[in-house]
Amino acid sequence: MIKIVTDSTCDLPSGLLQRHDILVVPVIIQFGMETYEEGITIDQASFYRKVDELGIIPTTSQPSAGRFAQVYREIAAEGAETILSIHVTAKLSGTYQSAELARQMVAEEVTVHPFDSACGSAGLGFMALEGARMAKAGESATSILQRWEEIQARMNILFTMANLRYAMMSGRVGRLQSTLASLLNVKPIVALEDGLLDVVGQVRTRKRALERILALMEEAVGTTEAVNLAVVHAEALQEGQKLLERARQMFNCQETFIEDLAISLAVHFGPGTLGLIAYRV
């Protein structure tokens, strides 16, 4: 039996996580001396409320190797023979490394294959979902890992932020950090490329930012081939729904969903962030 494990940067509706028995290991959210586990002891509403009340942006840290090992052992005790553990890009987080250390800790108890998705958010969500469906259909671990590599190469992730405050204070946004100071009066278009975030466009208004995201996605995936597509948002549900509606009209969508942006990602992007994620099926 194959089980799929991921981390809480995985933006996938809870119903799909539960239906396909995808286990989520929480990222740690730290407000000063207060420590929370994402999705377990803190949710989106509590997160934004604490930011407003305290006037500080929390830090995040990857789950420990011990936490991963605990989850792997629990899964093994339930009968799993192989665990495929897929995680947020290793270039921006130590989560994959924690999973790799945990693999070594449990090597004599269960077979674990950590996988660096080179992405995150709904991109990671779609990959975990496809893996879980393949496992349920009886596909081998090798086939699932090969499929993940295919999706990884096709994944496109674009974001725009309403407020640069969070990103300016974050130290975990890769090449994006060095360019933000010159963008205070514009809306940047941010892409995840080769596992790192980078500014790929600059516009003056929110409307143009969303139009640019759609145009860039059209360049990436076209409008005729079937795609899986998602919109993620940080406290911007109505705008997110409108963006998803437009995307469904533009693209040949096979599967779509809209989901809240994970707290561990919203820390770096802030409220009002909208993301568009898609890959050719």
Side-chain angles (χ1 to χ4, degrees):
M1 181 172 63
I2 297 173
K3 286 288 187 178
I4 306 298
V5 173
T6 188
D7 60 74
S8 57
T9 66
C10 168
D11 289 327
L12 195 64
S14 58
L16 289 173
L17 289 170
Q18 295 169 6
R19 189 180 315 152
H20 296 281
D21 197 23
I22 300 170
L23 283 86
V24 177
V25 180
V27 170
I28 304 303
I29 309 294
Q30 188 87 28
F31 279 94
M33 298 300 292
E34 298 179 359
T35 300
Y36 301 90
E37 291 189 325
E38 181 174 19
I40 296 178
T41 56
I42 189 169
D43 58 15
Q44 270 88 1
S46 299
F47 164 72
Y48 291 111
R49 185 170 63 250
K50 288 187 73 68
V51 170
D52 288 340
E53 291 174 354
L54 300 176
I56 61 172
I57 294 172
T59 58
T60 63
S61 60
Q62 69 267 20
S64 68
R67 185 74 162 90
F68 273 113
Q70 176 189 356
V71 171
Y72 296 158
R73 288 183 173 120
E74 290 172 354
I75 295 171
E78 295 173 357
E81 299 169 347
T82 302
I83 298 170
L84 303 184
S85 198
I86 182 168
H87 300 291
V88 64
T89 170
K91 291 183 179 179
L92 294 177
S93 170
T95 302
Y96 169 79
Q97 284 79 6
S98 286
E100 175 59 28
L101 287 172
R103 177 195 67 79
Q104 299 171 31
M105 293 166 65
V106 302
E108 296 183 0
E109 303 166 60
V110 63
T111 299
V112 180
H113 295 283
F115 188 90
D116 176 9
S117 72
C119 66
S121 187
L124 176 58
F126 271 125
M127 293 174 77
L129 180 60
E130 286 216 25
R133 285 170 171 164
M134 290 176 70
K136 191 173 291 186
E139 297 280 355
S140 68
T142 299
S143 295
I144 296 171
L145 292 170
Q146 289 176 344
R147 176 59 177 159
W148 279 349
E149 290 177 356
E150 292 173 1
I151 299 173
Q152 183 186 71
R154 300 177 185 179
M155 189 61 66
N156 300 276
I157 298 180
L158 295 163
F159 287 100
T160 188
M161 294 168 282
N163 187 321
L164 293 175
R165 172 182 169 225
Y166 281 58
M168 287 291 290
M169 295 179 68
S170 170
R172 300 284 289 280
V173 290
R175 292 173 295 185
L176 181 61
Q177 182 73 19
S178 63
T179 63
L180 289 175
S182 64
L183 300 177
L184 293 179
N185 295 319
V186 301
K187 305 295 183 185
I189 308 300
V190 177
L192 188 71
E193 297 181 338
D194 299 322
L196 289 170
L197 293 164
D198 205 1
V199 175
V200 296
Q202 306 170 29
V203 295
R204 290 289 178 184
T205 67
R206 178 77 155 185
K207 180 180 178 181
R208 288 183 179 178
L210 298 180
E211 290 173 350
R212 184 62 180 147
I213 282 179
L214 288 165
L216 287 170
M217 192 61 75
E218 183 178 359
E219 291 177 14
V221 303
T223 58
T224 56
E225 291 189 59
V227 298
N228 285 340
L229 181 146
V231 167
V232 294
H233 71 92
E235 301 285 276
L237 177 59
Q238 290 187 347
E239 282 186 299
Q241 290 172 332
K242 290 179 181 178
L243 179 60
L244 181 59
E245 183 179 345
R246 288 191 63 189
R248 283 172 171 163
Q249 293 170 353
M250 284 183 63
F251 302 105
N252 179 16
C253 296
Q254 175 174 291
E255 184 168 13
T256 65
F257 63 81
I258 184 170
E259 180 63 9
D260 289 318
L261 183 67
I263 295 170
S264 48
L265 301 176
V267 162
H268 308 301
F269 295 120
T273 296
L274 285 171
L276 184 64
I277 296 92
Y279 66 98
R280 292 191 303 274
V281 177

